């Protein structure tokens, strides 16, 4: 395995060539779902190349393989006995951004939320790397441009939770081993925050600090789900529709795929409603990227119903287990976040290692995008604050860096 260099790299992904949006697609033939591997890669590169100044690259990290029966097997050591056939390889897609003009001060691993991907961090990667952090942004298994392998959860609730958590966390631990990352700051947003906390509970030795940005699943579920009083009638109707879809174990991605050629415009309208402060250029790039994220083959999007009840309440709430975490913890919420920050405040009164619960002004659930400057500042400040245990920079090794399976 080759060592990842810390010297400056070219301004685009080294591991994947630049593509035109038509390369690899058959635009002369009508397609029900206008998406492909190459178009997804092009959308991601277009988004990141437009906004990143620092050198960045993608890594194709092979974390396991599928056997002939379609069962996933994840590697438990840094080196697999033999590389799996390409069609059976399980890959976690990773974007790496390194400090350009500063000494390397630590490693930060960023984990996106449900239905998102590494491209959603386009407003954060540069500033965080500029602070001296080597930043790894991953696509969770079955999401983004990581492998879209079968997600075969059982029906019984406890078994479904076990299956879903293991699906994400076993593959993430295999990824960590493959890159030889021993100690790092771990950041997770929304569902990614839930999973980041679960990972820290299982593997405390590897997480130097934990950052939970508007995490899902902190409080126990209420007896009756109530919508905030300040919601408009239109927003209430929208949320009620989402909850109805949720109760039927449908996913937003299912609806996008079912929309066929209308999918891109459907996602575009949603993005305009959800991210009203984005410029037209940003909105076009984010919409294009989000469409391919949603329209790609179904996989771990179905973990939503295994881990969370309607309203993003966890079947196994973090408030019942987070006290096992001894690493310093920072909670971040948007000032108008639909995730409730008060349960985190209650935990802080009982856990001295919860350093702060910060509410980012002028932002909601997507605080990393809506007030990126302040979000980045809070992350850098917390990640690089001196602790009794120093940051340990592990040599970063990786598997081959080519187009991942989807």
């Amino acid at each position: 395995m080759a060592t990842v260099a810390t010297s400056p790299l070219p301004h685009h992904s080294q591991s994947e060539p630049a593509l035109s949006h038509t390369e690899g697609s058959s635009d002369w033939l009508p397609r029900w779902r206008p998406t492909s591997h190459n178009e997804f890669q092009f959308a991601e590169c277009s988004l990141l190349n437009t906004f990143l100044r620092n050198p960045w690259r993608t890594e194709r990290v092979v974390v396991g393989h599928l056997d002939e029966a379609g069962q996933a097997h994840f590697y438990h050591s840094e080196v697999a006995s033999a590389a799996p056939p390409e069609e059976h390889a399980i890959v976690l897609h990773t974007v790496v951004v390194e400090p350009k003009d500063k000494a390397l001060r630590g490693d930060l691993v960023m984990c996106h939320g449900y239905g998102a991907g590494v491209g959603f961090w386009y407003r954060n990667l540069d500033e965080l790397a500029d602070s001296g952090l080597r930043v790894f942004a991953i696509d969770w298994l079955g999401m983004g441009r990581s492998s879209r392998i079968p997600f075969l959860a059982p029906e019984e609730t406890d078994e479904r939770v076990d299956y879903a958590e293991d699906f994400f966390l076993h593959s993430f631990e295999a990824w960590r081993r493959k890159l030889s990352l021993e100690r790092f700051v771990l950041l997770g947003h929304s569902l990614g925050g839930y999973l980041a906390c679960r990972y820290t509970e299982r593997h405390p030795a590897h997480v130097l600090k934990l950052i939970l940005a508007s995490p899902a699943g902190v409080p126990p579920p209420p007896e009756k789900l109530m919508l905030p009083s300040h919601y408009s009638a239109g927003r209430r109707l929208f949320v009620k529709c989402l909850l109805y879809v949720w109760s039927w174990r449908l996913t937003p991605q299912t609806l996008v795929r079912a929309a066929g050629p209308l999918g891109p415009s459907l996602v575009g309208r949603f993005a305009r409603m959800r991210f009203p402060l984005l410029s037209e250029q940003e909105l076009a790039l984010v919409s294009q990227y989000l469409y391919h994220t949603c329209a790609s083959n179904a996989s771990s999007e179905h973990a939503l119903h295994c881990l969370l009840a309607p309203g993003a309440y966890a079947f196994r709430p973090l408030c019942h287990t987070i006290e096992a975490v001894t690493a310093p913890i920072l909670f971040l919420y948007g000032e108008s976040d639909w995730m409730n920050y008060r349960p985190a405040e209650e935990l802080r009164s009982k856990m001295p290692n919860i350093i702060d619960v910060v509410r980012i002004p002028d932002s909601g659930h997507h605080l990393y995008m809506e007030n990126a400057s302040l979000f980045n500042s809070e992350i850098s400040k917390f990640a690089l604050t001196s602790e009794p245990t120093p940051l340990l920079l592990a040599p970063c090794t990786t598997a081959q860096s080519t187009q991942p399976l989807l």
Side-chain angles (χ1 to χ4, degrees):
M1 295 184 293
T3 300
V4 174
T6 58
S7 56
L9 302 173
H11 176 58
H12 58 81
S13 164
Q14 282 198 320
S15 55
E16 296 175 322
L19 298 174
S20 72
H21 76 282
T22 57
E23 189 173 346
S25 66
S26 302
D27 283 347
W28 56 277
L29 287 174
R31 292 179 295 163
W32 178 250
R33 276 191 290 158
T35 187
S36 68
H37 299 255
N38 286 344
E39 286 167 297
F40 196 174
Q41 179 187 342
F42 177 81
E44 180 182 280
C45 289
S46 297
L47 180 59
L48 296 182
N49 274 335
T50 298
F51 295 100
L52 298 192
R53 305 178 315 278
N54 285 333
W56 67 278
R57 66 183 183 276
T58 61
E59 297 292 349
R60 179 184 188 277
V61 184
V62 179
V63 298
H65 68 276
L66 290 175
D67 63 22
E68 295 299 330
Q71 294 295 316
H73 301 270
F74 301 108
Y75 300 143
H76 299 292
S77 62
E78 285 74 6
V79 182
S81 56
E86 181 70 16
E87 63 273 17
H88 296 305
I90 300 175
V91 172
L92 285 195
H93 175 62
T94 308
V95 167
V96 186
V97 185
E98 308 207 23
K100 186 176 182 181
D101 300 315
K102 287 193 175 183
L104 184 59
R105 300 174 63 189
D107 291 327
L108 171 67
V109 178
M110 305 180 73
C111 303
H112 64 78
Y114 180 79
V118 297
F120 270 50
W121 302 114
Y122 71 94
R123 285 189 169 190
N124 315 111
L125 297 169
D126 258 349
E127 282 193 45
L128 294 172
D130 285 343
S131 69
L133 291 165
R134 177 170 55 181
V135 183
F136 299 84
I138 71 158
D139 281 335
W140 289 109
L141 181 60
M143 297 185 187
R145 294 180 59 215
S146 290
S147 296
R148 301 288 182 116
I149 67 174
F151 186 84
L152 307 172
E155 281 302 314
E156 201 276 324
T157 298
D158 282 343
E159 292 180 358
R160 289 171 66 82
V161 174
D162 289 338
Y163 177 89
E165 290 188 355
D166 290 346
F167 184 93
F168 293 116
L169 301 184
H170 287 342
S171 58
F172 183 84
E173 172 61 6
W175 174 88
R176 183 204 65 77
R177 288 177 177 272
K178 205 67 178 285
L179 296 184
S180 299
L181 287 171
E182 289 303 317
R183 298 272 280 172
F184 51 90
V185 178
L186 181 59
L187 162 64
H189 172 255
S190 197
L191 178 62
Y194 174 91
L195 294 171
C197 189
R198 286 284 188 250
Y199 176 83
T200 307
E201 293 168 12
R202 294 191 187 191
H203 302 279
H206 301 301
V207 179
L208 185 67
K209 298 181 180 182
L210 176 63
I211 304 171
L212 301 177
S214 191
V218 176
E223 292 183 4
K224 184 178 181 181
L225 189 61
M226 301 291 291
L227 297 180
S229 58
H230 66 272
Y231 276 18
S232 66
R235 190 172 185 184
R236 285 175 173 272
L237 178 61
F238 176 72
V239 172
K240 287 179 180 179
C241 290
L242 284 181
L243 294 177
Y244 180 79
V245 169
W246 197 322
S247 68
W248 281 89
R249 293 189 181 179
L250 296 175
T251 67
Q253 295 90 329
T254 302
L255 301 180
V256 170
R257 286 189 289 267
L262 299 178
S265 61
L266 179 67
V267 171
R269 286 197 295 271
F270 168 80
R272 184 175 295 276
M273 177 183 67
R274 188 63 193 84
F275 308 115
L277 300 181
L278 296 188
S279 68
E280 287 300 316
Q281 180 191 35
E282 285 179 279
L283 194 61
L285 291 168
V286 169
S287 297
Q288 175 184 237
Y289 174 79
L290 181 58
Y291 170 72
H292 293 293
T293 301
C294 293
S296 296
N297 293 338
S299 179
S300 61
E301 68 195 60
H302 295 292
L304 179 70
H305 312 105
C306 298
L307 298 174
L308 303 177
Y313 292 99
F315 293 113
R316 292 180 186 166
L318 294 182
C319 63
H320 295 165
T321 60
I322 195 172
E323 290 188 32
V325 175
T326 58
I329 302 172
L330 173 66
F331 279 91
L332 295 172
Y333 292 87
E335 192 174 43
S336 57
D337 205 322
W338 64 272
M339 290 287 189
N340 188 355
Y341 71 94
R342 291 182 178 86
E345 289 279 15
E346 293 174 10
L347 288 170
R348 188 186 182 198
S349 67
K350 298 183 291 184
M351 296 178 60
N353 59 313
I354 296 181
I355 306 303
D356 206 352
V357 178
V358 177
R359 299 179 70 198
I360 303 293
D362 303 318
S363 67
H365 185 57
H366 294 278
L367 60 166
Y368 58 91
M369 188 183 296
E370 294 162 343
N371 194 342
S373 180
L374 188 52
F375 177 87
N376 296 337
S377 176
E378 292 290 343
I379 298 299
S380 300
K381 181 172 62 176
F382 177 74
L384 298 172
T385 299
S386 297
E387 295 292 331
T389 303
L391 286 168
L392 302 177
L393 300 179
C396 176
T397 55
T398 183
Q400 63 191 109
S401 303
T402 53
Q403 176 79 8
L405 301 173
L406 287 172

